[in-house]
Amino acid sequence: MPLSPGSRLGPYEIVAPIGAGGMGEVYRARDPRLGREVAIKVLPESLANDPVALARFEREALAVAALSHPNILAIHDFGTQGGVAYAVMELLEGETLRMKLDAGPIRQKQAVDFALQIAKGLSAAHEKGVVHRDLKPENLFVGRDGHVKILDFGLAKKVDAVAPSKETSAPTVSGHTEPGTVMGTVGYMSPEQVRGLPVDHRSDIFSFGAILYELLSGKKAFKKDTASDTVAAILKEEPPELSESGRSISPALDHIVKHCLEKDRDNRFQSARDIAFALGEASSGSAAAPATPAAQPPRSRAFRPPLWAAGVVALVTLAAAVLWLRPRAGPIDSLAVLPFVNAGGDPNAEYLSDGITESLIDSVSQIPGIKVVSRASAFHYKGKDVGARAVGKELGVRAVLTGRIVQRGDALSISAELVDARDDTHLWGEHYNRRLSDILAVQEEIARDISGKLRLRLTGEEKKRLTKRYTENAEAYGLYLKGRYHWNKRTGEDIQKGIGYFQQAIEKDPTYALAYAGLADSYVVLFAYAGLPSSETFPKAKAAALKALEMDDSLAQAHAALASVHENFNWDFSAAETEYRRAIELDPKYPTTHHWYSLYL
């Protein structure tokens, strides 16, 4: 019998019905003791005398009570009165994820944000040994502020609690369901669920993948005309490619979805924590992806290559000295460094043009008073013939720097031009012909030339930072550039190639701290793109970061990589914050540290 407004359950006063489902009726109620409104879920009358339903209802209350996480619905109380079993939960204002999906397309950035919150909530549940087993859009609630809560642990089961470091090997137990019993919702169940096999936390990961697929494409992953056909699809078919949805989906997100939806649970992500990290890694790229995805290589989490030796310092100094060139026009305090063109056309030299560009972006950002557009925005123009005025208008900068590089054997030709974005007028240009093997010395020579011509005035500390060499071995430096080039492509294959180049750089110069930092960065992101378990990659990342810091404790990049290991693998949040703060102290303008630290917070 429905509860009427004004009636009581224990100390709670019923205000109004909210909704009903197969496992309970939900009411808005008031707790007069604390002066707050709550939600009360009671077993429906048809199940009140069913011991199995009662046990399941109590199990949900106990499962949720064991959890405490901002992305899981909180339970405040549980009791019985007059044969009525009830659970008291926080009152939510908003709508289910199903309602949002039915209302129309969800922007990719928001979809990733929702998915990241769900993954974090799942990770907290799995850490406590709780498997949901009925994850679907109807059981996910989106508050008016965009905060996501996981609801309805009515099918949840409890396994032995697992520590974060052991989450990937949580035991599989039959829990409260006999083998052969199918429990869940068709369309979101894992293959092992539809077979009636015992399930563990990896079943939730499959369901999560189906939800993420729907968030990104607007379509269900395994939608068929009948329930039996849907079950067959889950067991034997792959969902349509996300690209067929007509939406621009980043390759990183596509990989995450496919990795979650592996038929064999041993081949899926092995923990929700790993999914959360992979989504965080992909979030920057998905937010900054151009409208036409084929226009540039995929780019994800906003890692920036560190200052490479002298790092094309000539171009750095020119940016800081622009105010000397245009005293009547006022200071030019913002700059976009567009990708240098590999004018020689040799694909094997592409790493050099990209490397010099990225080195320049990072180096210029060290100069006080100069705002430099990020790599993600600048590389949107790679391969495009766009005028400086158009770039300046789109990116909101006063000047644009372009360049061309030609490499023929050991011969290297570099030209650079600075253009006023307001009127496309030429501000400065220079051409340099040198040998590739002299790249380190050439960069310092360019710096001296431009500093003299532009009367650049930098402090002693700024000069020291811009001209610091991390290696004297030009061959090791070139291998490092190749490592960063492949690392930036963000595919499992390319990251593996990058690791190979970083290792070769270290073989050429065993004291090359920056190469060890590149190795650490690679292992930090490798599992998300190559499908490797974090237990294989993060320990290697830690070892490489520690080696880099052993050689140069002032290397902010290595401190940031070590912080990521502490945060996302060891779950040592105190140590992670210490490393993040140290990295920021050493290099306040290194973007990656701020990005990772924001995710940590």
Side-chain angles (χ1 to χ4, degrees):
M1 178 182 296
L3 300 176
S4 58
S7 60
R8 286 182 175 271
L9 276 178
Y12 306 99
E13 180 182 348
I14 302 300
V15 176
I18 295 177
M23 276 304 297
E25 299 165 350
V26 184
Y27 296 86
R28 179 188 293 267
R30 184 175 180 277
D31 183 352
R33 300 168 301 175
L34 298 177
R36 67 178 177 184
E37 288 197 327
V38 296
I40 292 186
K41 182 176 181 179
V42 303
L43 270 179
E45 187 176 9
S46 60
L47 298 177
N49 296 317
D50 183 341
V52 175
L54 184 61
R56 183 172 159 192
F57 185 72
E58 183 176 359
R59 184 168 69 251
E60 176 186 9
L62 292 173
V64 179
L67 309 175
S68 178
H69 191 273
N71 295 117
I72 296 176
L73 179 71
I75 185 167
H76 303 312
D77 195 5
F78 178 80
T80 58
Q81 178 178 302
V84 176
Y86 64 91
V88 183
M89 301 167 287
E90 62 178 314
L91 182 65
L92 303 178
E93 301 288 348
E95 58 186 342
T96 66
L97 185 59
R98 168 58 61 212
M99 295 175 183
K100 277 200 166 291
L101 286 166
D102 290 345
I106 295 177
R107 292 181 295 109
Q108 183 170 308
K109 183 177 180 180
Q110 187 176 54
V112 173
D113 177 58
F114 288 166
L116 184 57
Q117 294 185 63
I118 298 165
K120 289 179 177 179
L122 274 183
S123 180
H126 294 168
E127 179 192 348
K128 295 291 186 179
V130 176
V131 182
H132 193 286
R133 298 201 296 178
D134 195 23
L135 201 65
K136 56 186 177 182
E138 290 80 358
N139 285 340
L140 298 166
F141 196 90
V142 183
R144 292 174 179 172
D145 59 355
H147 198 81
V148 180
K149 299 270 189 179
I150 302 176
L151 314 179
D152 199 354
F153 280 77
L155 294 187
K157 69 171 184 178
K158 189 76 164 60
V159 298
D160 293 336
V162 284
S165 61
K166 301 295 184 181
E167 186 181 334
T168 58
S169 58
T172 300
V173 298
S174 60
H176 308 277
T177 306
E178 292 299 321
T181 302
V182 177
M183 302 190 76
T185 300
V186 175
Y188 300 94
M189 290 192 294
S190 65
E192 56 268 27
Q193 269 184 299
V194 299
R195 288 192 175 101
L197 299 175
V199 301
D200 62 12
H201 61 286
R202 292 170 294 180
S203 181
D204 284 347
I205 288 174
F206 186 93
S207 302
F208 173 89
I211 293 168
L212 180 55
Y213 180 98
E214 192 169 350
L215 278 169
L216 295 172
S217 69
K219 301 176 182 178
K220 294 182 179 180
F222 302 102
K223 176 64 174 176
K224 298 295 181 181
D225 293 335
T226 67
S228 59
D229 288 341
T230 301
V231 166
I234 290 173
L235 291 173
K236 299 178 180 179
E237 299 178 16
E238 300 298 332
E241 290 292 330
L242 282 170
S243 58
E244 296 178 15
S245 67
R247 302 181 185 181
S248 177
I249 310 297
S250 75
L253 290 174
D254 182 71
H255 172 81
I256 292 171
V257 171
K258 290 178 178 177
H259 197 22
C260 289
L261 293 178
E262 291 281 0
K263 306 297 186 187
D264 185 341
R265 57 186 168 193
D266 289 336
N267 294 333
R268 294 175 206 150
F269 279 103
Q270 295 297 292
S271 76
R273 179 190 58 192
D274 285 356
I275 298 174
F277 183 83
L279 285 168
E281 168 67 21
S283 61
S284 294
S286 64
T292 304
Q296 62 175 337
R299 174 69 171 170
S300 187
R301 169 170 282 185
F303 276 92
R304 305 293 201 274
L307 304 177
W308 294 330
V312 199
V313 183
L315 306 178
V316 177
T317 58
L318 110 82
V322 171
L323 69 94
W324 294 94
L325 291 170
R326 297 293 294 268
R328 296 180 181 178
I332 296 178
D333 57 1
S334 54
L335 177 69
V337 183
L338 299 190
F340 276 34
V341 177
N342 176 20
D346 181 1
N348 294 323
E350 196 73 20
Y351 80 94
L352 192 59
S353 57
D354 281 9
I356 288 177
T357 304
E358 295 188 31
S359 176
L360 175 61
I361 291 173
D362 284 331
S363 299
V364 173
S365 69
Q366 304 295 319
I367 305 297
I370 299 292
K371 183 187 78 172
V372 185
V373 169
S374 71
R375 180 200 189 278
S377 296
F379 271 68
H380 175 64
Y381 296 94
K382 184 176 175 64
K384 298 180 181 179
D385 185 13
V386 184
R389 182 179 295 181
V391 173
K393 184 177 181 180
E394 290 179 11
L395 299 181
V397 295
R398 287 282 303 277
V400 175
L401 182 67
T402 60
R404 295 168 62 85
I405 297 176
V406 177
Q407 178 192 353
R408 292 189 176 90
D410 194 37
L412 182 66
S413 175
I414 302 176
S415 61
E417 180 184 25
L418 183 71
V419 178
D420 191 321
R422 297 173 304 170
D423 53 16
D424 277 327
T425 56
H426 174 89
L427 296 178
W428 171 90
E430 189 57 271
H431 190 89
Y432 301 88
N433 292 309
R434 299 292 187 273
R435 289 187 305 163
L436 180 62
S437 57
D438 295 329
I439 182 64
L440 292 170
V442 169
Q443 291 175 158
E444 292 180 356
E445 181 182 349
I446 295 173
R448 288 193 299 271
D449 288 348
I450 296 181
S451 295
K453 292 176 181 178
L454 302 184
R455 296 172 293 165
L456 179 65
R457 297 174 181 176
L458 299 176
T459 67
E461 180 61 31
E462 289 163 353
K463 291 178 181 179
K464 181 180 178 181
R465 181 180 299 175
L466 290 173
T467 58
K468 179 177 180 178
R469 283 193 181 188
Y470 289 94
T471 183
E472 297 294 331
N473 189 313
E475 191 174 355
Y477 174 63
L479 290 166
Y480 175 84
L481 293 184
K482 289 181 179 180
R484 283 294 179 187
Y485 172 75
H486 285 284
W487 182 82
N488 277 320
K489 286 181 173 292
R490 284 301 196 281
T491 69
E493 181 181 358
D494 276 293
I495 294 172
Q496 293 278 22
K497 286 183 180 178
I499 288 173
Y501 282 120
F502 289 133
Q503 290 173 334
Q504 291 179 54
I506 292 169
E507 290 174 3
K508 296 293 182 181
D509 182 0
T511 65
Y512 198 176
L514 207 54
Y516 277 105
L519 201 59
D521 285 344
S522 298
Y523 282 123
V524 162
V525 302
L526 180 62
F527 87 93
Y529 293 94
L532 298 178
S534 58
S535 59
E536 288 186 18
T537 60
F538 275 104
K540 293 179 181 178
K542 181 178 181 179
L546 289 175
K547 188 67 175 178
L549 294 175
E550 177 184 326
M551 299 173 182
D552 186 352
D553 188 60
S554 67
L555 201 58
Q557 295 87 347
H559 282 286
L562 185 57
S564 177
V565 173
H566 285 315
E567 174 193 356
N568 296 293
F569 183 69
N570 297 330
W571 283 36
D572 187 342
F573 299 116
S574 177
E577 182 158 31
T578 298
E579 293 297 332
Y580 281 131
R581 288 183 175 274
R582 177 62 174 155
I584 292 172
E585 177 187 1
L586 290 168
D587 188 352
K589 291 190 175 183
Y590 181 46
T592 296
T593 306
H594 292 283
H595 180 193
W596 283 56
Y597 189 42
S598 71
L599 293 175
Y600 161 88
L601 293 174

